[in-house]
């Protein structure tokens, strides 16, 4: 009996990992694609889950409060790596978010080992009297902060936002 249970478990594992999966049923869902910046380049992402209920509603995403469980205890030593990456949202200037990593290339052959689809939101606030400019990379955020032009505030909001391959002006459907 135990041997049978182990074999059932072992045989079920590949299905969870997607091995042998085909999209023969051709199911599609519609998801909003949002622009963002990564290292000076335009990228696009989808938002599926957010740990903050108000933001989840605004982003038309699932409210997933347990995503906060991914936040490590602070202060966290720099050498301690977690599944969370930073994402920068500009609070008082209209512009796309800024990601510090993305798949390179944007497909199954990505070699960017820093990329994660889970993000801890950092809010960027331009200081009064400073004329905001569009920031297109994490480095530009840090430079503007070091020049005293803005402040960066860590939140406790975790978002599941995979960077998605995107071509053209509009996506009518995104195939999973």
């Amino acid at each position: 009996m135990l041997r049978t249970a182990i074999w059932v478990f072992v045989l079920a594992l590949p299905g969870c990992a997607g091995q042998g999966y085909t999209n023969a049923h051709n199911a599609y869902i519609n998801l909003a694609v949002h622009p963002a910046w990564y290292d000076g380049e335009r990228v696009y992402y989808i938002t599926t889950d957010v740990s903050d209920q108000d933001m989840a509603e605004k982003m038309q995403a699932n409210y997933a409060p347990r995503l906060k469980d991914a936040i490590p205890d602070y202060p966290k030593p720099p050498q301690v790596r977690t599944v969370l990456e930073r994402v920068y949202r500009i609070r008082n200037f209209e512009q796309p978010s800024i990601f510090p990593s993305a798949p390179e290339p944007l497909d199954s052959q990505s070699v960017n080992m820093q990329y994660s689809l889970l993000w801890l939101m950092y809010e960027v606030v331009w200081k009064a009297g400073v004329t905001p400019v569009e920031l297109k990379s994490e480095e530009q955020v840090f430079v503007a902060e070091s020049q005293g032009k803005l402040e960066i505030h860590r939140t406790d909001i975790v978002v599941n936002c995979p960077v998605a391959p995107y071509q053209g002006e509009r996506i009518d459907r995104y195939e999973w």
Side-chain angles (χ1 to χ4, degrees):
M1 183 67 153
L2 178 60
R3 175 181 259 177
T4 303
I6 291 172
W7 275 110
V8 168
F9 176 75
V10 169
L11 292 173
L13 281 177
C16 295
Q19 294 176 357
Y21 174 79
T22 64
N23 195 11
H25 61 283
N26 292 324
Y28 296 94
I29 60 173
N30 292 321
L31 296 171
V33 178
H34 307 282
W37 290 107
Y38 163 62
D39 203 23
E41 299 291 326
R42 181 73 74 170
V43 295
Y44 295 87
Y45 66 95
I46 58 175
T47 300
T48 59
D49 310 280
V50 182
S51 67
D52 178 81
Q53 192 166 21
D54 290 337
M55 183 171 282
E57 187 174 328
K58 289 176 189 169
M59 298 295 293
Q60 298 178 6
N62 295 317
Y63 171 50
R66 286 205 50 216
L67 284 176
K68 287 184 182 181
D69 292 346
I71 300 174
D73 293 331
Y74 283 91
K76 176 182 76 67
Q79 67 273 17
V80 174
R81 296 184 59 169
T82 70
V83 70
L84 289 177
E85 269 274 30
R86 292 177 169 213
V87 61
Y88 301 94
R89 184 180 120 203
I90 313 302
R91 193 170 68 199
N92 59 347
F93 181 66
E94 188 69 30
Q95 82 151 78
S97 296
I98 301 160
F99 290 127
S101 69
E104 295 178 73
L106 273 171
D107 64 20
S108 63
Q109 303 302 311
S110 176
V111 295
N112 186 346
M113 301 307 284
Q114 292 299 113
Y115 172 71
S116 174
L117 54 76
L118 290 180
W119 309 91
L120 181 59
M121 184 174 296
Y122 283 74
E123 290 191 332
V124 175
V125 180
W126 289 97
K127 291 185 177 180
V130 174
T131 302
V133 296
E134 189 163 18
L135 301 171
K136 299 179 180 180
S137 70
E138 183 179 46
E139 181 182 352
Q140 289 179 341
V141 171
F142 290 154
V143 168
E145 180 190 35
S146 71
Q147 294 171 343
K149 296 180 179 181
L150 56 79
E151 295 177 343
I152 303 171
H153 304 281
R154 183 176 69 87
T155 73
D156 65 348
I157 299 172
V158 177
V159 292
N160 180 4
C161 294
V163 175
Y166 174 77
Q167 296 175 353
E169 292 300 312
R170 181 177 169 189
I171 289 182
D172 290 321
R173 60 186 179 192
Y174 188 85
E175 186 174 339
W176 286 92

